[in-house]
Amino acid sequence: MTRGDVPSDVSDTARWVAAYRARETTRRDALFRDPLADRLAGERGHAIADSAPRMMRDGWPIVTRTKLIDDLVAKAIAEGCDRVLNLAAGLDTRPYRLELPAELLWIEADLPGIVAEKDDALAGETPHCVLLRRAVDLADPEARGKFLDEALGAIGPVTAPASKALVLTEGLLMYLDPATVTELADALTRPEIAWWLLDLSLGMKKMRSGDTFANAPMKFEPPNGVRFFEDLGWQPVELENLLVYARKFRRAPWYLRPFTYLPQPDPRKPMRNPWSGIIRFRHA
């Protein structure tokens, strides 16, 4: 039997993440506002958040990750991004809460169940850009390829193909095995894709023990860290340390703040010291 206060699968973590966004929204000094998050989290999302390990109980890594990605999405748009592909979008609400160009095309992809749940929960809400959703199993190479062909071409009300797309894989890679991540990295090597924005946790597997993560185990933790992607031809444009920014945003737990003033771990040698952060890559 699955406990009601732990994720039953990877998709369940989307409700958990939404709960942290909802709680951040209620703060007077909120880093972002997400009025839809509480609806999407539901009782189950908040129950999972309440039972999380002590170090994550207030959701500081999720809140910091969310803010950093918000800022890097805005930066990419300022640099000419004309399309965003959010793979394994879960219950993300950026098209509704960010100030985006009305003509920007934002395409979300996820498993059929989570897409149907989101369509139902957000029926009647109006995004700030052109928003499309597609149900697709991104672990299936054929389905993934067909999706990318469609998403990067002329689609929906947009009559021109993408020329400078941003791909976002937030909270996805840690649940994939290295071979699947390699396949994804190769699949995203297309001239229409300018950037790949992702979060990466390295040397953290031992911290993700216990019931909370039993049904959503961490699989991707390359011993060469960021070099895993560099060897596949992806070069970092921005490489942001999560804990350092959590301290800057005043979200880091007090007992971790002193570590942010020390020399930071090398994300290419994460087995020496854990590293977690947000990276925007460009293909060489």
Side-chain angles (χ1 to χ4, degrees):
M1 174 179 281
T2 300
R3 280 173 41 189
D5 58 352
V6 300
S8 61
D9 52 31
V10 172
S11 293
D12 227 7
T13 63
R15 300 176 186 86
W16 180 22
V17 170
Y20 289 135
R21 295 201 312 269
R23 296 178 184 196
E24 176 68 17
T25 298
T26 65
R27 293 180 56 133
R28 295 183 64 181
D29 63 343
L31 297 173
F32 53 82
R33 303 286 179 184
D34 188 348
L36 300 173
D38 191 62
R39 182 194 312 175
L40 293 167
E43 292 183 5
R44 182 162 175 75
H46 286 290
I48 295 170
D50 287 340
S51 67
R54 175 175 173 267
M55 198 174 95
M56 288 190 64
R57 192 68 52 81
D58 62 359
W60 69 267
I62 301 300
V63 169
T64 304
R65 181 181 83 182
T66 300
K67 171 60 175 170
L68 282 172
I69 292 177
D70 285 357
D71 292 347
L72 288 174
V73 167
K75 187 173 183 179
I77 291 172
E79 293 172 359
C81 172
D82 60 358
R83 193 164 305 186
V84 176
L85 276 56
N86 190 354
L87 308 187
L91 300 176
D92 178 61
T93 61
R94 287 188 177 91
Y96 299 89
R97 65 178 181 80
L98 295 184
E99 292 300 322
L100 301 170
E103 69 278 7
L104 177 72
L105 177 57
W106 189 295
I107 305 174
E108 299 180 343
D110 214 320
L111 295 171
I114 201 78
V115 169
E117 176 182 342
K118 193 171 183 180
D119 281 340
D120 182 62
L122 299 182
E125 300 292 341
T126 303
H128 296 158
C129 62
V130 181
L131 174 62
L132 300 175
R133 292 196 186 98
R134 293 292 184 266
V136 57
D137 181 358
L138 294 166
D140 179 336
E142 183 177 356
R144 182 179 60 231
K146 288 181 178 179
F147 164 75
L148 290 173
D149 287 343
E150 178 195 25
L152 293 169
I155 180 174
V158 179
T159 58
S163 62
K164 211 170 184 180
L166 168 71
V167 174
L168 171 59
T169 56
E170 180 182 16
L172 171 62
L173 300 191
M174 70 179 74
Y175 300 116
L176 305 179
D177 58 65
T180 303
V181 176
T182 298
E183 291 175 2
L184 179 61
D186 290 340
L188 297 180
T189 304
R190 296 185 175 220
E192 305 96 331
I193 296 175
W195 306 284
W196 182 10
L197 179 55
L198 57 87
D199 60 301
L200 193 61
S201 294
L202 303 166
M204 303 284 185
K205 189 179 292 187
K206 59 182 177 292
M207 301 180 189
R208 291 175 59 89
S209 59
D211 291 345
T212 300
F213 305 105
N215 299 311
M218 185 175 180
K219 298 179 181 179
F220 183 67
E221 195 176 47
N224 57 344
V226 173
R227 197 171 298 282
F228 177 95
F229 298 92
E230 293 174 325
D231 289 345
L232 295 172
W234 291 91
Q235 299 302 315
V237 180
E238 288 97 7
L239 201 156
E240 313 291 15
N241 184 303
L242 197 72
L243 182 57
V244 169
Y245 272 89
R247 187 255 300 167
K248 292 179 179 179
F249 294 154
R250 300 184 180 181
R251 294 298 182 274
W254 64 268
Y255 52 87
L256 292 179
R257 290 173 203 159
F259 295 100
T260 67
Y261 295 98
L262 299 175
Q264 292 304 299
D266 184 345
R268 294 173 179 82
K269 300 176 181 178
M271 296 302 107
R272 295 183 180 178
N273 291 290
W275 185 91
S276 184
I278 308 300
I279 310 170
R280 183 169 63 137
F281 286 105
R282 183 193 303 275
H283 199 271

